[in-house]
Amino acid sequence: MAEKKNILTYEGLRALEEELQDLKVNRRKQVAVKIKEAREQGDLSENAEYDAAKDEQRDIELRIEEIDKILKNAEVVDEEDVDLNAISIGCTVTLRDIEFDEEMEYKIVGSTEADCLNGKISNESPVGVALIGSKEGDKIEIETPTGEMIKYEILGIKRTTVTE
């Protein structure tokens, strides 16, 4: 079975590459020093600092493996080629909650880089699925997990600017 492609924006790709570099270059060295210092304290069987450092080392290696897997299967969306006539991955969308008359702005990203607290919603989330393919002026309804219906009006679609 083919592995699922991880859809990323250039911003998401850069963030993962920077995290990977930091883990491999800095964090590995830091934890190696902690392990060395803990070993110098003697008996490892009851050394909490040694156990904590080994746990941290395991977590770092797992995250490196996870990022490598994501990058290996990455498909990068060129935000410069995004069609602004309909919502797609890489767009920033301005919505109005019809019931509460509140405006909000979301960037549509792949599930790997989704972060709703920072305005990045996955194309696979219920809101993302409902938005993909919609156009400015459209009104959409989204059913929440509790069965409640939320209604949005699409006020604008713009290309996300990539900062260097």
Side-chain angles (χ1 to χ4, degrees):
M1 184 171 107
E3 291 202 41
K4 176 186 160 197
K5 284 286 183 192
N6 297 303
I7 299 173
L8 296 170
T9 60
Y10 279 121
E11 176 185 357
L13 177 68
R14 269 200 320 265
L16 283 173
E17 288 173 339
E18 287 171 9
E19 181 182 357
L20 184 61
Q21 180 71 10
D22 180 57
L23 288 169
K24 286 182 172 181
V25 175
N26 300 323
R27 299 283 306 279
R28 274 182 172 164
K29 286 180 185 173
Q30 292 167 353
V31 80
V33 168
K34 288 180 185 178
I35 290 170
K36 181 178 181 268
E37 289 172 354
R39 275 193 180 132
E40 291 171 353
Q41 294 176 6
D43 184 14
L44 298 180
S45 63
E46 295 182 18
N47 188 328
E49 287 179 25
Y50 178 78
D51 291 340
K54 290 299 279 183
D55 287 345
E56 185 178 352
Q57 181 183 43
R58 183 200 65 233
D59 293 344
I60 289 169
E61 295 306 319
L62 286 172
R63 182 62 180 153
I64 287 170
E65 187 178 316
E66 179 183 17
I67 293 172
D68 279 336
K69 187 175 179 181
I70 290 168
L71 293 176
K72 179 180 150 213
N73 295 304
E75 182 177 311
V76 180
V77 174
D78 187 350
E79 295 166 79
E80 294 299 316
D81 293 339
V82 168
D83 178 10
L84 297 178
N85 294 318
I87 297 172
S88 62
I89 296 173
C91 290
T92 298
V93 183
T94 304
L95 305 172
R96 181 175 68 87
D97 183 315
I98 294 172
E99 182 181 351
F100 296 105
D101 195 31
E102 293 177 345
E103 280 189 28
M104 56 207 72
E105 190 172 85
Y106 293 114
K107 179 176 181 179
I108 310 298
V109 296
S111 60
T112 306
E113 59 183 302
D115 180 359
C116 62
L117 296 176
N118 289 311
K120 295 179 181 181
I121 58 172
S122 167
N123 63 312
E124 297 174 11
S125 70
V127 174
V129 168
L131 288 172
I132 296 290
S134 298
K135 298 175 179 353
E136 190 172 323
D138 285 356
K139 292 183 176 156
I140 59 168
E141 288 187 10
I142 302 160
E143 187 174 353
T144 67
T146 61
E148 182 184 353
M149 296 301 282
I150 300 173
K151 296 178 183 177
Y152 292 116
E153 178 182 5
I154 300 166
L155 301 177
I157 304 169
K158 63 182 179 183
R159 186 173 286 117
T160 304
T161 54
V162 180
T163 53
E164 293 297 323

